[in-house]
Amino acid sequence: MLKRVCKHGISVAHKHQKWCFIVGRGPTRMHHSTNLKMISRRLEQASYSTLGMHRSLHTTVVEEEILKFRRLSESWWDENGAFQALHSLNDLRIPLIRDGLVRKGQGSGQTLARPQPLTDSVILDVGCGGGILSEPLARLGARVTGIDAALENIEVAQQHASHDPLLHRGLRYMCITAEELLETERGVFDAVVASEVLEHVSDVEGLVATCSQLTKPGGSIFFTTINKTWLSYALAVIGAEDIARVVPHGTHDWTKFIPPDDLQRFLEANDCNMRLVHGMILNPITMRWSWGSPKACNYAIHAIKNDRSQTDFDEIEETQS
């Protein structure tokens, strides 16, 4: 079930049926904004309850997490708003992805000296939100698919990208889960990216497996997420949410954080080898990120899916404590 709020009221579509609640029209008249808000809340709850029952059998999506980010959908491109830390994180994750793919030689004639070094690379951005990471990757020449389970996020991403005609051919957005996309695009992507996503899903190992299956043999997988330590609880939950308030309260659940060793084990179980692991540290005063120890809090991983035609892999590159 999908819900939209228009200037006249609420329009709800479910499969081939459509209901429209019009303020001040039709057999039921609503004269107060409180009635409209009450109906909106009930439709929202019913919509995601139905969607959750449909998805629960084949997805790692957590409906409560989707609802959380739906409510923030209008803030995606406010660089000083709720997603300021994600905008700043691009300073680390874009060079990480760009350099990793160029070094691996994924794409035609890639070199860092080119203005678009990722030309012909096919990249999937899982949990793309409003497109904060998808857009700059497309500007580097990659053909990017951004997917998200929240329709509102996809609409924001599409609307923002529409202002740049150069993105038209190299960027597409889809309201779909990774598991659903796997049905039609298995083994299609040179690189799959899930940045700040793993700590919001119900089954990390399941999503890692799906990302591996979406990746070509010899392709790259990039994750950024949060380590499960007492320090990460102090920094990412208490510090970032309650004290510095650099992210909205309730953004993180410490029980869902993932140690790098666990993520490495999940990757190896799905025919992938770790190439590097870097820690990332956010300065809450300057809101700038820097590389640091992977045992501290946030970290990034680059893994390569095994290609049976190639047997040599570099040693894991790791930042030092």
Side-chain angles (χ1 to χ4, degrees):
M1 180 181 291
L2 303 176
K3 173 181 72 65
R4 301 174 187 269
V5 179
C6 60
K7 65 180 180 179
H8 296 300
I10 307 169
S11 178
V12 181
H14 182 269
K15 292 185 179 179
H16 301 294
Q17 296 175 304
K18 184 175 182 180
W19 294 269
C20 191
F21 295 84
I22 307 297
V23 179
R25 299 182 185 177
T28 302
R29 294 179 177 271
M30 294 171 286
H31 299 286
H32 303 287
S33 61
T34 53
N35 291 336
L36 182 57
K37 292 178 181 178
M38 178 182 67
I39 290 175
S40 177
R41 285 195 299 268
R42 289 181 179 177
L43 289 172
E44 181 180 86
Q45 293 168 358
S47 171
Y48 277 80
S49 175
T50 303
L51 187 58
M53 289 187 291
H54 173 69
R55 284 179 171 164
S56 62
L57 297 178
H58 62 280
T59 186
T60 58
V61 168
V62 178
E63 297 304 327
E64 290 80 5
E65 295 284 346
I66 299 303
L67 182 59
K68 182 191 306 179
F69 287 100
R70 283 183 68 240
R71 290 169 175 162
L72 296 169
S73 62
E74 296 300 321
S75 302
W76 279 109
W77 287 96
D78 180 359
E79 296 188 10
N80 296 310
F83 298 108
Q84 182 180 8
L86 284 183
H87 282 277
S88 178
L89 186 57
N90 277 357
D91 292 342
L92 296 188
R93 57 186 180 175
I94 292 173
L96 174 75
I97 297 167
R98 178 199 64 202
D99 296 355
L101 294 182
V102 170
R103 285 176 56 189
K104 191 69 175 60
Q106 289 165 298
S108 62
Q110 289 178 334
T111 170
L112 290 174
R114 296 180 61 179
Q116 292 188 313
L118 297 184
T119 297
D120 293 335
S121 291
V122 182
I123 299 177
L124 174 65
D125 184 7
V126 177
C128 66
I132 292 174
L133 179 58
S134 297
E135 279 198 18
L137 290 176
R139 290 192 178 95
L140 290 176
R143 286 180 286 150
V144 180
T145 298
I147 65 171
D148 201 284
L151 178 61
E152 288 81 357
N153 291 344
I154 293 298
E155 289 176 337
V156 168
Q158 291 173 330
Q159 194 275 336
H160 191 272
S162 69
H163 296 299
D164 187 348
L166 297 178
L167 295 174
H168 177 67
R169 292 184 179 180
L171 180 60
R172 65 168 177 164
Y173 290 110
M174 303 171 67
C175 184
I176 193 173
T177 67
E179 293 81 7
E180 291 165 344
L181 186 66
L182 186 61
E183 297 175 6
T184 58
E185 303 198 25
R186 180 183 297 263
V188 166
F189 299 95
D190 295 309
V192 173
V193 182
S195 183
E196 307 306 297
V197 172
L198 296 180
E199 65 271 23
H200 298 289
V201 303
S202 62
D203 179 7
V204 173
E205 188 170 8
L207 183 57
V208 170
T210 299
C211 289
S212 175
Q213 293 171 69
L214 286 162
T215 307
K216 292 178 178 178
S220 292
I221 298 176
F222 296 92
F223 294 128
T224 70
T225 188
I226 309 177
N227 198 350
K228 192 175 184 179
T229 64
W230 288 112
L231 184 58
S232 70
Y233 180 78
L235 294 177
V237 179
I238 297 177
E241 296 184 15
D242 299 331
I243 299 176
R245 297 183 180 180
V246 296
V247 295
H249 180 77
T251 297
H252 296 119
D253 178 353
W254 183 81
T255 63
K256 293 182 178 179
F257 291 0
I258 312 105
D261 289 346
D262 286 355
L263 194 47
Q264 180 176 355
R265 178 164 49 85
F266 297 156
L267 284 162
E268 291 174 349
N270 287 280
D271 210 25
C272 299
N273 288 321
M274 292 266 286
R275 184 160 186 147
L276 66 79
V277 54
H278 288 333
M280 305 182 297
I281 300 172
L282 175 66
N283 184 322
I285 299 176
T286 63
M287 291 302 293
R288 309 303 296 180
W289 291 86
S290 60
W291 296 116
S293 168
K295 296 181 180 179
C297 191
N298 298 70
Y299 65 95
I301 278 179
H302 177 195
I304 305 293
K305 183 174 179 179
N306 288 339
D307 185 345
R308 297 309 177 189
S309 65
Q310 300 178 359
T311 57
D312 59 315
F313 289 91
D314 298 336
E315 293 182 357
I316 298 175
E317 181 183 340
E318 183 172 349
T319 50
Q320 301 297 315
S321 301

